[in-house]
Amino acid sequence: MVGHALSAASALLLALSAAATPLRLAKRDPVPAFVLQNAPLSHLWSKEQWWPSDVATHLTHVVPEVDFKATASSVTLEDLSNQGSDVFLTSKDDVTDQPAWITSAVGKPDGNGHSTAPATIVLVEKDGGILDAFFFYFYSFDHGGKVLDIEFGDHVGDWEHSMVRFQNGAPTALYLSAHSGGSAYTYAATEKTNGRPTTYIAGGTHANYATSGKHCHDLPLDLLCDQTDAGPIWDPTLNYRGFWFDNSTKTFSVAGGAGEGGNVVDSEGASWLQYAGAWGDEQYPVLEHGQYCIPLGDTDECQFVSGPTGPIAKNLGRNLVCQRENSCSVKSSL
């Protein structure tokens, strides 16, 4: 009876211990070596002014708001998931002043490709031996660009991503996000640097492209264009927070990391990735912060637009390579 009692007590203690363990500490295997060996190397624009940012640092400069009213005085990665999907993480400063934390060059990669701003790697296992490896890049500000010298589409917070699809451990395709869409290529078609795919990140907008140069989008007559070149190279494998995403439960777990991100990912946990709200200000009313909107076609185009949602809203469970699966073509050449 004593043995049974001890066994029961031990089981109870284990159960209580498990129940007391925060969900954010859930952890499984680290990021596989084959993912890191085939991770994109990305050139930022040589004239970039809005460099990569650490999401944790970004949160120190914003407060959660709903309908332009604060719901808390501060927010951290550890409690971010408590915020609702209607929340906008709003700058404490007037962004028209371009405060130092927005224009900081701290995240500019050094000569080895190391940025002090950790990338966010999210891994998703799927049927047929498929593993999608998402490489998320965060910036505290997006400069939308100019049309006829009029500025449009600026916003606080900017999430962009590339994704390498693997099948049975072999890379087969690469997806690159850009604005409201993106482009997909066979892995073999991509430019390579030391065997890894090479990509180019546009100045200001941070859209991702497979080639350097001028990339016009959305408007006719080449009125709105992104610029890319072989500027500083960013190697996300040198500094990242790593996670697994379970598409059946829609939950994240920690997968370790490297560099500064690897040092903090266990204590921060994975729950912050469940946050479904916006990572920047809500679109300002006209005249506030100098806001203006101009009718173009069926919509009004404004200088400032609302901040973006985070990784959880980027169709992590996609079947096709593209984020928007209703129009997805995978190119076999650049």
Side-chain angles (χ1 to χ4, degrees):
M1 291 296 291
V2 174
H4 288 299
L6 287 174
S7 297
S10 298
L12 178 60
L13 287 172
L14 286 172
L16 290 172
S17 175
T21 302
L23 178 61
R24 65 185 181 87
L25 293 180
K27 188 172 183 179
R28 38 174 300 182
D29 296 336
V31 177
F34 66 80
V35 169
L36 301 177
Q37 291 162 3
N38 293 282
L41 292 167
S42 300
H43 286 282
L44 289 148
W45 192 39
S46 60
K47 299 178 182 179
E48 183 61 76
Q49 300 178 58
W50 299 277
W51 298 98
S53 307
D54 185 340
V55 289
T57 302
H58 180 78
L59 292 186
T60 66
H61 297 286
V62 300
V63 294
E65 290 189 357
V66 175
D67 294 330
F68 301 101
K69 296 179 181 178
T71 60
S73 59
S74 64
V75 67
T76 66
L77 288 180
E78 287 82 357
D79 59 25
L80 183 59
S81 62
N82 296 329
Q83 302 297 327
S85 60
D86 57 346
V87 165
F88 290 83
L89 299 178
T90 304
S91 172
K92 297 177 183 178
D93 303 297
D94 184 341
V95 298
T96 62
D97 294 333
Q98 289 289 279
W101 62 274
I102 280 179
T103 59
S104 172
V106 170
K108 179 180 179 179
D110 64 20
N112 295 317
H114 172 268
S115 168
T116 59
T120 301
I121 299 178
V122 177
L123 308 174
V124 189
E125 292 179 306
K126 299 172 183 177
D127 292 341
I130 290 175
L131 185 146
D132 285 344
F134 292 84
F135 299 86
F136 283 98
Y137 316 106
F138 184 76
Y139 313 82
S140 280
F141 192 78
D142 178 295
H143 182 264
K146 293 185 176 182
V147 178
L148 301 178
D149 210 34
I150 302 174
E151 193 167 324
F152 293 103
D154 294 352
H155 55 83
V156 175
D158 190 19
W159 281 103
E160 297 290 347
H161 73 275
S162 58
M163 186 269 279
V164 179
R165 171 159 288 186
F166 297 86
Q167 188 160 23
N168 299 322
T172 61
L174 173 70
Y175 175 77
L176 302 171
S177 73
H179 305 291
S180 59
S183 55
Y185 301 86
T186 62
Y187 189 84
T190 62
E191 180 184 333
K192 303 293 194 304
T193 299
N194 297 325
R196 292 167 59 180
T198 306
T199 68
Y200 297 85
I201 298 174
T205 69
H206 309 125
N208 295 275
Y209 296 99
T211 58
S212 64
K214 185 177 179 180
H215 302 272
C216 298
H217 59 94
D218 292 331
L219 295 180
L221 304 176
D222 292 352
L223 288 173
L224 183 60
C225 301
D226 284 330
Q227 296 289 341
T228 68
D229 61 19
I233 201 162
W234 184 5
D235 183 351
T237 70
L238 300 180
N239 182 14
Y240 69 89
R241 297 175 173 94
F243 304 92
W244 291 93
F245 177 71
D246 187 323
N247 196 42
S248 62
T249 62
K250 309 299 180 187
T251 57
F252 297 87
S253 56
V254 173
E260 296 93 322
N263 292 334
V264 296
V265 67
D266 283 338
S267 59
E268 293 168 341
S271 67
W272 64 271
L273 285 164
Q274 302 288 158
Y275 171 63
W279 282 78
D281 297 27
E282 185 173 1
Q283 180 172 309
Y284 307 135
V286 171
L287 299 183
E288 185 174 329
H289 298 298
Q291 173 76 299
Y292 54 78
C293 297
I294 298 175
L296 286 177
D298 297 330
T299 62
D300 288 347
E301 296 295 334
C302 302
Q303 179 186 4
F304 293 102
V305 298
S306 294
T309 50
I312 197 169
K314 308 308 180 190
N315 194 11
L316 299 176
R318 67 188 72 168
N319 294 310
L320 301 181
V321 176
C322 308
Q323 182 176 343
R324 291 190 169 186
E325 299 182 84
N326 58 350
S327 58
C328 184
S329 61
V330 181
K331 302 172 185 177
S332 58
S333 62
L334 297 178

